[in-house]
Amino acid sequence: MNKTELCEIFEKYGSDKCPAILHSYSSVYYDIFKNIRYNIKNILEIGVGNFKLMSSIVGKNYIPGASLRAWSEFFPNANVIGLDIDKDILFKENRISCYYTDQSDKNSLLQTIVTIGIKNFDLIIDVGSHIVNHMLLSIDVLHEFLISGGLYIIEDIKLQDLQIFIDHKIEGMEIHKTHKGNNAWDSFIAYRSE
């Protein structure tokens, strides 16, 4: 797998989306995004990254919001919104804003969208609870807020659960890419809005 500019950016901020730290996503993402990176206006990512969990993967220098900062650098014209259930790690800087949400609760997700005030996202990434039912609920609710042609990516899917997402039908959405990585927790699926 080639080391791309996006791999280097994720590594720089301490995001586990790159092979240097953990996951094999960054090269695949680069191929998906390299030709549209300057057109992306609004990004929503579920899961800011708490220190207790991520420091065991990335190391003691981990700072919550690593992938939000990486997305912000790679997509220089985008507003980057982070959502998390842990209110202690929410922050705001430059083009990054974080908000509380509970991704297991439809009403919480919808209320958060109202609070954010953005209803047209180019890209939504779910790297939140990693619980299948929460992931399915989140895409069922939030895909309505994608622009036409927008992408919804669910990361860190257990390989044994990937077929659940492949089989999950969402009106107005099609599977754009499935990625089976290097281990049981290294898969993602990307859906595209029609």
Side-chain angles (χ1 to χ4, degrees):
M1 197 169 286
N2 294 333
K3 188 168 187 177
T4 67
E5 179 186 356
L6 188 53
C7 299
E8 292 172 357
I9 292 171
F10 282 132
E11 188 175 349
K12 169 184 168 182
Y13 289 102
S15 169
D16 66 351
K17 298 182 194 298
C18 63
I21 296 175
L22 182 62
H23 291 295
S24 62
Y25 307 152
S26 53
S27 293
V28 184
Y29 284 167
Y30 183 76
D31 288 340
I32 293 171
F33 297 128
K34 65 185 177 187
N35 294 326
I36 59 170
R37 66 186 289 192
Y38 297 100
N39 302 328
I40 300 292
K41 302 295 183 205
N42 294 304
I43 299 170
L44 181 72
E45 183 162 82
I46 305 169
V48 172
N50 70 64
F51 180 80
K52 184 176 179 183
L53 172 68
M54 295 305 297
S55 63
S56 66
I57 297 167
V58 179
K60 63 180 179 42
N61 294 325
Y62 177 78
I63 298 170
S67 66
L68 300 178
R69 292 181 179 94
W71 291 130
S72 180
E73 181 171 326
F74 186 73
F75 296 112
N77 300 317
N79 297 306
V80 180
I81 310 295
L83 306 181
D84 210 283
I85 197 165
D86 182 351
K87 293 180 180 177
D88 293 335
I89 61 172
L90 305 180
F91 68 97
K92 184 176 278 198
E93 63 183 45
N94 302 325
R95 291 175 286 107
I96 302 171
S97 301
C98 297
Y99 297 84
Y100 167 83
T101 205
D102 177 352
Q103 78 169 129
S104 71
D105 182 336
K106 176 180 179 180
N107 291 330
S108 181
L109 289 166
L110 290 171
Q111 182 55 52
T112 301
I113 293 297
V114 171
T115 301
I116 294 168
I118 298 172
K119 294 188 176 179
N120 296 295
F121 291 94
D122 302 86
L123 173 62
I124 299 175
I125 308 109
D126 182 350
V127 66
S129 73
H130 297 71
I131 296 169
V132 171
N133 288 343
H134 296 178
M135 296 167 165
L136 294 174
L137 173 68
S138 295
I139 190 169
D140 287 346
V141 172
L142 296 177
H143 81 275
E144 298 281 348
F145 301 102
L146 279 173
I147 65 165
S148 177
L151 293 174
Y152 193 112
I153 298 172
I154 303 174
E155 293 183 351
D156 302 354
I157 299 172
K158 286 185 193 176
L159 190 55
Q160 68 192 37
D161 294 334
L162 188 57
Q163 194 62 45
I164 295 170
F165 295 91
I166 292 170
D167 293 340
H168 189 67
K169 302 301 180 212
I170 308 155
E171 188 174 343
M173 300 286 284
E174 62 185 14
I175 295 173
H176 177 67
K177 175 84 177 167
T178 55
H179 173 74
K180 296 179 183 177
N182 301 323
N183 59 57
W185 280 93
D186 194 33
S187 297
F188 74 76
I189 189 165
Y191 304 86
R192 182 181 291 280
S193 177
E194 294 173 352

